[in-house]
Amino acid sequence: MNRFFLRLSALCVAFLAAVNIAHARIEFDITKGNVEPLPMAIMDFKGDPVAAQVVQVIRDNLRNSGLFNLIDKAAFLQNDLDFNTPPKYEDWRSINAQALVNGQVTKLPDGKLRAEFRLWDIFGASQLAGERYDIQPEFWRRSAHIISDKIYEALTGEKGYFDTRVVFVDETGPKDKRVKRLAIMDQDGANVRTLTRGSDLVLTPRFSPTRQEITYMSFEGGQPRVYLLQIETGQREVVGNFPGMTFSPRFSPDGQKVIMSLQQGGNANIYTMDLRSRNTTRLTNSSAIDTAPSYSPDGSQVVFESDRGGRQQLYVMPASGGEPRRISFGNGRYSTPVWSPRGDLIAFTKQAGGQFLIGVMNADGSGERILTEGFHNEGPTWAPNGRVLMFFRETRGAGGGPKLYSIDLTGKNERQIPTPAFASDPAWSPLLD
Amino acid sequence: MSAAASILKSPAFLALAIGLAVAGCAKKNNLPDNSGQLGLNGATPGSQQDFTVNVGDRVFFETDSSILTPQARATLTKQAQWLVRYPNYPVTVEGHADERGTREYNLALGARRAAATRDFLASQGVPGSRIRTISFGKERPVAVCNDISCWSQNRRAVTVLAAPQG
């Protein structure tokens, strides 16, 4: 049984009619540089025992986004609120809550859980959002992520990213004998599941934008090549029949192609393979290392790194190939470019002064901003709304290893993502639907 | 410690003892014809141990470079002579990078080092068809300290012999 699609069919959505109508008053623009977190209150959810876990996941998501300041329950003046009744706005105004969430989780006669919430604009005295989800009990966590996304979207005007997953490389064992396994988890580190057994070295997994599928590199059979993996069935296949090592794969935005590097002698060039026709196309032809290709979200261009000018720099070329244009000109080496899902920015790893930094620049190379720096930060990946990045940070020495971190596009709110062991090469999924 | 005990524990004695032991059973293992001779450092001439100990199975590179240093060329010249003399070993050259680079680039850099090593061996008379290359990028360090001395040991190409054929 396909667990992913089971999840989808298990969700039944209903919009809850507003209890009263008024104009929204909350003004909250997260696209500005320096955002003060929005003060808000989330009441305990009523009903089934799982309600406490649901509301905890919602609180963690919103707090961890760095955009919301959750008011301590001890400050609440109204502690009981019927789900179908508006709150006492003045009680919430007096503790400066701009928004209020209440909800309940109830068990239905057929065994399903019903999770519902309402989001209130306190100063506008109106309901901003209200929805109901009937779910199989084992998917309670997903309902919490979906509710979190609805609240985020209603308050910020932008899509959320909580109902997403991250594929990464789980790392165990000593540094000179590391065992690496593909693993997948919810965006917040919950529900970790390994996808490979660890007998073969595996690297750089990337999500398909359209299917429950991953492309990655494996050393299976002593032959390093790019593979596809169906997440739910575990079915694997080699991508193409190339005369050499293929590596650094990524999907096209329509999910129909894999773009990757092919090593031939001392040179790496960029190729695509159409997954339907199996036709391969060569995009670069240089005596250099051309790698880490990433499509623009409209599919028209590709950004990649190349040392054709002497050391690693970022270049952009048409998706059909053609003359690349260098876009990185700062001091240092630039690598692992990833185009933002919004199309405006390119995230990268930068090596300068013996440090490894994560930064972003405009797609034309202007406006470089460094988000984090240190001994070793590498491999950024974008949340599907383009507001948050995840990357890995490696610590020094024999006992050192990588861990996953997320950081806001503003460079604020850097957080470690909990993983069972060392973890590297994160790749964020699109929003599930 | 008595003089006799210290001799027994000395590296020279151990090497001699191992060499005798290897030589003693060499014929049974179908090693090359001259394996009955006692080789240098206890290694049977023509054995994998002989290659590793007396020739040197690896060469090292400068940071972000695949250019063979004079020392690397000297080692590879000896490797080529040995491989020409013992033509039955299939060869894999493994290219490696240190940890101070990004993953994808280091895979390509390791491949570039392996290719440079293979090309040099081929130029010295080892048939290119006998040499396979593979890159491990920064995935298989041999030295794991946080130090330039460790990183320099990891920037390497290692010539690995498979079981002899023919």
Side-chain angles (χ1 to χ4, degrees):
Chain A
M1 188 67 193
N2 183 320
R3 296 204 330 171
F4 180 70
F5 290 106
L6 182 74
R7 289 185 183 199
L8 295 194
S9 58
L11 279 170
C12 161
V13 182
F15 296 94
L16 301 180
V19 181
N20 62 350
I21 305 289
H23 293 292
R25 282 269 308 272
I26 295 177
E27 287 180 15
F28 190 45
D29 183 0
I30 62 170
T31 60
K32 287 176 183 161
N34 209 345
V35 183
E36 272 300 306
L38 186 81
M40 68 181 294
I42 302 178
M43 300 181 78
D44 287 341
F45 280 26
K46 295 179 168 182
D48 190 85
V50 77
Q53 293 170 276
V54 169
V55 78
Q56 188 61 47
V57 170
I58 295 169
R59 285 183 179 133
D60 289 345
N61 278 337
L62 295 173
R63 186 186 296 112
N64 290 343
S65 77
L67 297 176
F68 306 100
N69 181 11
L70 302 193
I71 297 169
D72 193 318
K73 278 192 291 185
F76 292 2
L77 299 177
Q78 182 176 24
N79 287 297
D80 191 39
L81 173 58
D82 179 85
F83 186 67
N84 293 311
T85 309
K88 290 183 197 158
Y89 294 111
E90 59 282 6
D91 281 2
W92 298 101
R93 280 179 201 140
S94 68
I95 60 168
N96 194 32
Q98 300 278 317
L100 171 70
V101 174
N102 69 326
Q104 60 186 18
V105 181
T106 45
K107 187 154 268 172
L108 299 176
D110 63 1
K112 283 184 180 171
L113 289 177
R114 169 166 292 176
E116 36 195 348
F117 79 98
R118 294 184 195 273
L119 171 66
W120 304 94
D121 175 352
I122 295 301
F123 287 84
S126 65
Q127 178 179 313
L128 281 177
E131 289 187 25
R132 165 188 300 157
Y133 305 92
D134 292 350
I135 52 167
Q136 298 294 344
E138 61 267 37
F139 303 132
W140 65 267
R141 185 175 274 277
R142 193 157 174 220
S143 73
H145 289 314
I146 292 172
I147 290 172
S148 304
D149 280 332
K150 294 294 174 192
I151 295 167
Y152 183 101
E153 185 172 356
L155 293 176
T156 68
E158 307 212 5
K159 287 277 186 195
Y161 55 88
F162 304 117
D163 188 27
T164 56
R165 295 194 279 180
V166 173
V167 63
F168 64 100
V169 174
D170 169 79
E171 299 197 17
T172 51
K175 196 169 186 176
D176 55 349
K177 292 191 182 67
R178 255 318 135 68
V179 174
K180 295 196 171 190
R181 293 178 177 86
L182 296 187
I184 189 167
M185 64 184 180
D186 293 351
Q187 133 290 130
D188 58 359
N191 289 329
V192 178
R193 181 159 65 105
T194 53
L195 301 173
T196 60
R197 292 203 182 97
S199 47
D200 300 303
L201 176 61
V202 291
L203 302 170
T204 62
R206 312 290 180 213
F207 258 104
S208 164
T210 53
R211 291 178 301 276
Q212 287 299 300
E213 192 172 50
I214 289 165
T215 182
Y216 67 106
M217 183 206 192
S218 171
F219 281 65
E220 186 174 335
Q223 230 183 325
R225 288 183 296 188
V226 168
Y227 285 75
L228 291 176
L229 172 69
Q230 311 296 325
I231 296 172
E232 298 302 333
T233 64
Q235 191 186 334
R236 288 176 307 120
E237 63 175 298
V238 176
V239 177
N241 181 21
F242 291 97
M245 171 174 76
T246 47
F247 63 108
S248 193
R250 212 179 270 281
F251 285 96
S252 60
D254 64 3
Q256 294 302 336
K257 287 180 191 165
V258 172
I259 190 166
M260 69 203 120
S261 287
L262 168 66
Q263 189 75 31
Q264 288 183 288
N267 304 327
N269 279 291
I270 294 173
Y271 285 72
T272 58
M273 192 182 92
D274 188 298
L275 295 175
R276 283 173 298 194
S277 69
R278 306 269 141 186
N279 289 336
T280 58
T281 307
R282 181 176 185 150
L283 297 188
T284 67
N285 190 353
S286 73
S287 54
I289 293 172
D290 295 345
T291 191
S294 169
Y295 280 95
S296 60
D298 67 0
S300 70
Q301 297 175 87
V302 171
V303 64
F304 65 100
E305 63 169 87
S306 175
D307 69 346
R308 61 185 63 202
R311 59 181 177 177
Q312 289 161 284
Q313 297 291 345
L314 306 186
Y315 294 79
V316 171
M317 66 179 167
S320 55
E323 196 52 41
R325 180 170 45 89
R326 181 171 161 182
I327 62 163
S328 62
F329 291 95
N331 288 324
R333 302 160 60 156
Y334 293 79
S335 55
T336 76
V338 197
W339 217 303
S340 155
R342 303 154 77 101
D344 51 349
L345 297 173
I346 289 167
F348 53 82
T349 307
K350 178 178 182 177
Q351 290 165 253
Q355 305 262 297
F356 282 60
L357 307 76
I358 302 291
V360 295
M361 59 175 66
N362 295 324
D364 64 3
S366 65
E368 176 179 322
R369 276 192 298 124
I370 297 303
L371 304 183
T372 189
E373 55 186 277
F375 172 68
H376 197 117
N377 302 286
E378 184 178 339
T381 179
W382 291 93
N385 72 353
R387 300 279 330 162
V388 182
L389 291 147
M390 205 177 282
F391 58 95
F392 70 91
R393 170 174 296 163
E394 195 135 7
T395 49
R396 300 160 183 260
K403 287 283 197 176
L404 305 186
Y405 288 79
S406 67
I407 193 165
D408 205 83
L409 188 51
T410 59
K412 293 190 161 190
N413 194 34
E414 184 178 284
R415 297 182 49 254
Q416 189 183 315
I417 307 299
T419 51
F422 286 135
S424 59
D425 292 7
W428 219 310
S429 81
L431 261 185
L432 304 176
D433 56 21
Chain B
M1 189 188 287
S2 74
S6 68
I7 286 170
L8 287 173
K9 286 183 180 171
S10 77
F13 177 82
L14 285 177
L16 184 67
I18 292 166
L20 288 168
V22 170
C25 60
K27 284 292 181 194
K28 289 176 214 155
N29 290 346
N30 290 324
L31 284 173
D33 289 345
N34 54 359
S35 59
Q37 300 165 16
L38 183 61
L40 288 172
N41 294 318
T44 306
S47 68
Q48 298 192 15
Q49 190 192 10
D50 179 35
F51 182 76
T52 306
V53 174
N54 296 321
V55 177
D57 67 345
R58 62 197 58 199
V59 295
F60 301 99
F61 296 86
E62 297 297 322
T63 300
D64 193 26
S65 169
S66 58
I67 295 169
L68 296 169
T69 63
Q71 195 184 350
R73 296 166 83 90
T75 301
L76 293 179
T77 301
K78 283 167 67 185
Q79 283 190 9
Q81 288 164 355
W82 194 96
L83 291 168
V84 167
R85 186 166 172 201
Y86 303 110
N88 294 339
Y89 288 100
V91 175
T92 299
V93 176
E94 297 179 352
H96 299 268
D98 68 27
E99 67 190 73
R100 304 306 287 155
T102 44
R103 194 172 319 287
E104 296 88 339
Y105 181 80
N106 276 3
L107 285 167
L109 179 59
R112 203 182 245 176
R113 287 170 174 164
T117 302
R118 179 199 55 204
D119 291 350
F120 188 87
L121 291 173
S123 76
Q124 300 295 305
V126 183
S129 59
R130 197 178 149 195
I131 310 171
R132 187 178 160 265
T133 61
I134 186 169
S135 172
F136 287 95
K138 61 176 171 178
E139 307 304 319
R140 289 288 178 262
V142 288
V144 294
C145 72
N146 170 39
D147 197 297
I148 290 168
S149 68
C150 278
W151 300 335
S152 64
Q153 291 177 62
N154 293 333
R155 295 190 297 265
R156 69 201 193 276
V158 183
T159 304
V160 178
L161 308 184
Q165 294 183 341

